[in-house]
Amino acid sequence: MERLTLVTLISVALVGCGGDSDSSSDNSQVTTKTLNGYVDDISYSDKSISVSNLTVDADNANVQYQSQTYPFETITKGTHISADLRDDVANNIELDPEYTGQVSAILNDKITVNNMEFTYAELSSDIIVGDWVLISAQVHADSSWKVTSINEISALSFSEIEGSISQLDVNAFTFMIGNVLVDYSNAILDDIQVIQNGLWVEVDGQYQNGLIIASKVDAESASDFDDTDVEGIISWVNSTQTVFELNQRTTIMVDESTRYDDGNQSMLMAGFKVNVDLKVVNGKLVAIEVDFDDDTGIQGREFNVEGEASYGNSVVSINGIDFPIGPNTVFDDGLTINTLAGQWVELDGRDVNGQFVLKEIEREDKDNEISLEGKVSGNTIWGYSSSDGSLGIFNGQWVEIECQRDASNNLSFCRLDPD
């Protein structure tokens, strides 16, 4: 979502040269920002908060969620917020949870909201079944959630969830987010050109018995992050470490001008927590600076396939295995959906609970050496089998391998990739 950002806008007020009463003033510079992230520290006595290593004076800030006002004490360590700043003073703080809803079950440190179960070791004993809560959480590369705070609030007339669309049925106007069925038949679709599996969305609506009747389904666009500083967890990186995905939804390019703090380009790996300063170049997000955090998360599972492509209905296939092209799929080397068929290509992406999320398509040399990453089953991987049985020793494993390929696409001499 566009609120998952740290937006920096520098406004310089230049005093005119006319004869008005301000003509004697010096040029002044005012710094304004929209700060969005997870609260690292909070002082209730000083009314200050720290987010992404920035401490903010919130003494006169108005704390809100969906136009309702809340006391400053609603904010706790780990709460996801969006704050409008002027010279590091907060004028307005918007609570920005990933999940909002009514508690249906609690067992020790596990809490169920909107048919989704979350684990939180610091769950307050004051929260009981029937209460309404805001859940702030960060998503790992393997699609698991790490809860950072759970805040009790007064009852609301709607629920909020976010995640990646799966099991889309365009005829029934339904899709799944996690364990929740969403009916979007009467929903406003915001920043969505084509609704499809793999698209990360935020849904507002009425929850009842495992179903949300959506009033709004919102996605993000590159323009949401222009001149922004985004905090998150890397969920995927391409083989050349020139493109990565943040928070399972934001695709970011790096180039020769990208700067690195507390690390370098070789450290761009799934699971790393980073702060990224962004700009839009030719409609794509480019990292100005990547700041590595000491924290690392779960890496998740990436796949890599190469072979001759066929294409149809927004799906690219290799050896009869389908890979849906998503809204954030990157086409390299001049490839387009109109030039895919018959090309020897390499596909990179993530396996999310058995669903292939395709992140990048690029040309690959068709030679005797082939590199693959995925699950080996029955002496096969991605539709290839080994004539010498060398794949069989990896049966049941998710591996990154190199093999020899003959003219009939049979593999031999398969071994683990030394890199």
Side-chain angles (χ1 to χ4, degrees), residues 139-390:
V139 63
H140 285 291
D142 68 345
S143 299
S144 64
W145 288 95
K146 177 186 177 182
V147 175
T148 56
S149 77
I150 298 180
N151 307 98
E152 184 181 357
I153 58 169
S154 54
L156 297 171
S157 59
F158 64 92
S159 291
E160 177 181 337
I161 65 172
E162 66 176 75
S164 181
I165 290 176
S166 64
Q167 301 180 45
L168 174 66
D169 187 334
V170 294
N171 296 314
F173 295 97
T174 62
F175 57 80
M176 298 291 292
I177 291 184
N179 299 324
V180 183
L181 179 65
V182 177
D183 178 342
Y184 69 95
S185 55
N186 293 310
I188 297 171
L189 302 184
D190 193 7
D191 289 329
I192 299 176
Q193 295 181 348
V194 178
I195 192 164
Q196 56 190 200
N197 287 321
L199 180 66
W200 189 280
V201 293
E202 181 181 283
V203 178
D204 293 342
Q206 300 287 330
Y207 175 81
Q208 46 187 284
N209 300 320
L211 171 69
I212 282 190
I213 307 298
S215 57
K216 181 180 179 183
V217 181
D218 184 17
E220 66 183 29
S221 63
S223 61
D224 295 331
F225 299 102
D226 195 17
D227 294 323
T228 68
D229 188 349
V230 183
E231 174 188 359
I233 296 173
I234 297 176
S235 45
W236 169 83
V237 184
N238 73 341
S239 57
T240 57
Q241 294 178 300
T242 54
V243 182
F244 66 95
E245 177 190 68
L246 203 63
N247 300 324
Q248 292 208 14
R249 52 195 176 275
T250 308
T251 302
I252 299 169
M253 317 287 179
V254 300
D255 59 23
E256 63 279 357
S257 65
T258 301
R259 304 185 302 272
Y260 300 91
D261 190 11
D262 294 326
N264 53 58
Q265 186 172 355
S266 67
M267 291 175 59
L268 291 173
M269 294 182 288
F272 273 81
K273 186 177 179 181
V274 293
N275 293 319
V276 189
D277 189 14
L278 296 170
K279 63 179 178 180
V280 174
V281 178
N282 297 325
K284 297 181 179 181
L285 284 172
V286 177
I288 301 171
E289 182 172 329
V290 180
D291 183 5
F292 291 88
D293 197 288
D294 292 335
D295 234 358
T296 57
I298 301 169
Q299 289 192 344
R301 211 156 63 167
E302 298 182 3
F303 68 78
N304 177 273
V305 190
E306 65 174 88
E308 185 173 319
S310 58
Y311 173 79
N313 298 321
S314 296
V315 174
V316 58
S317 302
I318 290 179
N319 295 335
I321 301 172
D322 293 341
F323 300 87
I325 295 173
N328 296 319
T329 302
V330 176
F331 288 80
D332 281 340
D333 306 318
L335 288 170
T336 69
I337 58 173
N338 297 319
T339 60
L340 274 178
Q343 297 286 339
W344 193 269
V345 298
E346 180 181 56
L347 310 181
D348 288 316
R350 290 185 294 108
D351 179 292
V352 180
N353 301 322
Q355 178 176 304
F356 302 139
V357 180
L358 183 57
K359 302 309 303 177
E360 184 179 52
I361 305 174
E362 58 184 335
R363 296 181 192 273
E364 182 56 72
D365 293 333
K366 186 177 181 180
D367 52 31
N368 294 331
E369 187 86 14
I370 189 170
S371 297
L372 303 163
E373 183 175 3
K375 186 176 181 178
V376 179
S377 179
N379 194 43
T380 65
I381 182 171
W382 301 124
Y384 295 103
S385 60
S386 60
S387 56
D388 62 354
S390 57

Side-chain angles (χ1 to χ4, degrees), residues 112-145:
T112 302
V113 176
N114 301 337
N115 207 37
M116 293 288 292
E117 185 181 79
F118 299 91
T119 300
Y120 186 49
E122 299 177 39
L123 183 63
S124 171
S125 59
D126 293 335
I127 296 176
I128 61 174
V129 172
D131 286 343
W132 279 77
V133 293
L134 308 179
I135 299 179
S136 297
Q138 294 177 315
V139 63
H140 285 291
D142 68 345
S143 299
S144 64
W145 288 95

Side-chain angles (χ1 to χ4, degrees), residues 5-27:
T5 60
L6 173 61
V7 185
T8 305
L9 301 174
I10 306 301
S11 170
V12 180
L14 299 177
V15 179
C17 298
D20 59 25
S21 59
D22 291 330
S23 61
S24 61
S25 299
D26 293 330
N27 288 348

